[in-house]
Structures are given as structure tokens and as C-alpha cells.
Amino acid sequence: MDKQTLIDHLNEDLAGEFGAILQYITYAAKATGPYRPQLAQFFLTEVADEQMHAQFLANKIVALGGEPTTQARPVPPAKTNREMLEAVLVAEKQAGKDYTRRAEEAEAYGDKGLVVALEDMVRDEMGHSEETERMLRDWPL
Ligand SMILES: [Fe+2]
Ligand SMILES: [Fe+2]
């Protein structure tokens, strides 16, 4: 794993985190119905975690000598509460897979601190996807 490839992959992750922030902010605004207060709260709580991930990645990219992207991954279209939760579950599972892969790449590159940080992020994203999956399990509509 060479440094430039690692920087490029971390930038793909950073675009994903920016996309997740946009996704949660817009979905929080769009949540409707009797569960709106809890859903909006849930989505907005996630924003704080994703912001921490984005900040970590931007700092690490600069530390490695790279330029952090300012592009966000597109937010998947979703109309209903269920569609939004399903889109969130897909994105969170993907993030968990991406950081698992990235931790392996950081190991190959030889940056143990980055490995540990990325593994922490795997745990965060797993928590997000498990929470979302449980909400969807008995979703009424
Ligand atoms: Fe994240
Ligand atoms: Fe997440």
C-alpha cells in the first residue's frame, strides 16, 4: 500500500462522511408522522458522529501530505420514513465495510495509529447500522 493510494482511499471515505452528514441533515428535515420527533433526533445525533469521522479523515489526509476533498458522495433519494431508514442502513453498512478494508490497508502501509482509529470507526458505523436495523424491524409502514 503506497501513500498516495491510501490518501486517495481516505478521500473517498471523507466524501462518504460529507455525504452522510448531508443525508442525515436532509432526512431529519424530511421525517414525517407521529415518529417525527424521535426520527429527527436520531438522524441529527448521527451527524455529530459523522462530523467527528470527517474531521479525523481530513486531518489525517493533511498529515499524510494530501489535500482533503470538499466533494460529498451524493445523497440517495428517499421519500418516506422507511425509504430514508433503508437508505441509511445501506450507507452505514457500506461505511463499516469501507473502514474494515481501510484498516487493512493502513496495516499494510504500517500506520498502527490509523489502524486503531479506523477500527474505532468500524465500531461506530456498526452501532449506527444495528440501531437502524432494529428500528426497521417493526416499522409499521
Ligand atoms: Fe461515519
Ligand atoms: Fe455512521
Side-chain angles (χ1 to χ4, degrees):
M1 176 58 47
D2 67 282
K3 187 188 271 195
Q4 190 55 51
T5 305
L6 182 61
I7 289 170
D8 291 346
H9 290 179
L10 291 171
N11 258 325
E12 288 169 25
D13 298 331
L14 179 56
E17 292 293 347
F18 286 148
I21 290 167
L22 295 177
Q23 185 174 23
Y24 281 124
I25 287 175
T26 52
Y27 287 5
K30 281 159 56 121
T32 54
Y35 303 125
R36 170 170 165 72
Q38 292 95 326
L39 264 183
Q41 177 71 48
F42 172 67
F43 290 147
L44 292 177
T45 301
E46 304 294 291
V47 172
D49 282 356
E50 313 305 11
Q51 183 185 335
M52 293 302 289
H53 296 164
Q55 284 178 256
F56 169 78
L57 291 168
N59 277 301
K60 188 66 196 186
I61 288 161
V62 172
L64 288 168
E67 177 69 23
T69 187
T70 53
Q71 301 296 310
R73 198 173 288 165
V75 176
K79 284 202 176 103
T80 65
N81 292 339
R82 171 180 273 282
E83 283 172 0
M84 289 191 282
L85 285 168
E86 284 172 346
V88 160
L89 183 56
V90 169
E92 291 292 352
K93 279 187 170 171
Q94 185 62 50
K97 277 185 202 159
D98 290 345
Y99 291 134
T100 301
R101 180 79 199 278
R102 212 66 67 230
E104 291 164 5
E105 292 177 357
E107 186 84 56
Y109 177 70
D111 187 333
K112 190 64 189 171
L114 181 56
V115 173
V116 172
L118 288 165
E119 285 174 348
D120 277 353
M121 286 157 67
V122 172
R123 183 197 53 212
D124 291 346
E125 309 298 14
M126 187 190 297
H128 296 165
S129 60
E130 283 180 356
E131 194 64 23
T132 308
E133 197 277 332
R134 283 193 286 165
M135 290 166 73
L136 274 168
R137 227 177 260 177
D138 291 310
W139 199 260
L141 298 170

